[in-house]
Amino acid sequence: MKKKRIAVLASGRGSNFQALIDAAGAGTIPGRCIVLFTDNPGAYAIQRARAADIPVTVLDFASFSSKEAYEQALLAAMRRTKAHLFVLAGYMRILGKEIVAAFPGRIMNIHPALLPAFTGLHGQRQAVDYGVKVAGCTVHFVDENLDCGPIILQKCVPVLPGDDEDTLADRILVEEHRCYPEAIRLFCEDRLEIDGRIVRIR
Ligand code: GAR
């Protein structure tokens, strides 16, 4: 099977990006990371890309005159990659409608909550504050609404007595690092079929 071209967008630590690098390097995923895009010149994800010989494109959000100008530059750069798949790995901005529309069914996100619960920022804190007994992560395709696109995979973890945002986030992160490479593998194997809100795994 021909390897899929994967472009990654990350804003920070990049541990999910690393999980993808490792899975692709181990041959588990028939795909390769062709570029890292980041909006943050200080993102640790940049070091991870350099260590893995993955080209980095920094589009420093602060250096653009407006969100529109940033989005236009990002869209043009994304088009140039000819990537099959765009992976949001801790990318902490909402993608504009034009970008989402340009790549239907080709942008994935991971969210640290069991969607549709606890969308937006601090999903883990929202889960602790709400008092749920089960939390987890969701990998989904990106559509025009925040944390709302068709769900590919979800994994659960228990919320334990005494948990705070950080302990729960650590437990969820272990599952994120399994779940995201798995979803990306399914995409790269052409096994995901989107039918409205439903993602079928062939
Ligand atoms: C992850 O927990 C990811 O689910 C979350 O940010 C963290 C990034 O960690 N993403 C979001 O909250 C997106 N709304 P990482 O940079 O180590 O992969």
Side-chain angles (χ1 to χ4, degrees):
M1 174 171 284
K2 197 155 181 277
K3 284 191 175 178
K4 295 280 194 293
R5 295 165 61 82
I6 304 168
V8 177
L9 288 81
S11 300
R13 179 179 58 183
S15 70
N16 278 290
F17 174 39
Q18 187 68 53
L20 169 57
I21 293 171
D22 293 345
T28 319
I29 295 176
R32 63 188 179 94
C33 294
I34 51 161
V35 66
L36 168 72
F37 289 117
T38 184
D39 56 325
N40 171 15
Y44 186 68
I46 295 172
Q47 319 300 323
R48 298 182 190 273
R50 298 239 156 93
D53 272 332
I54 296 167
V56 178
T57 299
V58 179
L59 293 168
D60 182 0
F61 186 82
S63 73
F64 287 85
S65 56
S66 64
K67 181 168 194 292
E68 290 67 37
Y70 166 79
E71 288 270 329
Q72 285 306 318
L74 178 59
L75 175 57
M78 287 171 77
R79 285 194 199 281
R80 279 195 296 272
T81 63
K82 305 256 188 295
H84 297 97
L85 177 66
F86 298 91
V87 167
L88 309 187
Y91 178 70
M92 301 314 269
R93 296 189 182 280
I94 298 171
L95 279 183
K97 286 190 185 348
E98 207 183 332
I99 292 182
V100 174
F103 307 105
R106 289 169 53 200
I107 308 176
M108 264 186 208
N109 182 44
I110 189 157
H111 183 72
L114 293 174
L115 293 174
F118 311 135
T119 59
L121 291 176
H122 308 296
Q124 307 96 327
R125 187 192 305 169
Q126 294 182 59
V128 170
D129 290 349
Y130 198 90
V132 294
K133 303 297 187 198
V134 176
C137 59
T138 303
V139 181
H140 64 95
F141 285 111
V142 172
D143 71 5
E144 62 282 359
N145 297 310
L146 179 66
D147 297 331
C148 190
I151 290 172
I152 303 164
L153 291 176
Q154 293 185 298
K155 298 281 181 209
C156 313
V157 302
V159 182
L160 301 177
D163 263 344
D164 60 19
E165 178 180 8
D166 293 334
T167 56
L168 181 60
D170 287 347
R171 196 174 305 122
I172 292 172
L173 197 62
V174 172
E175 294 304 326
E176 292 188 39
H177 294 163
R178 294 180 181 139
C179 202
Y180 216 0
E182 168 74 2
I184 294 165
R185 178 176 70 83
L186 291 168
F187 181 96
C188 291
E189 292 175 348
D190 294 322
R191 290 173 60 193
L192 299 179
E193 189 180 288
I194 306 174
D195 178 8
R197 278 219 54 84
I198 309 301
V199 177
R200 294 207 174 79
I201 301 175
R202 290 194 285 246

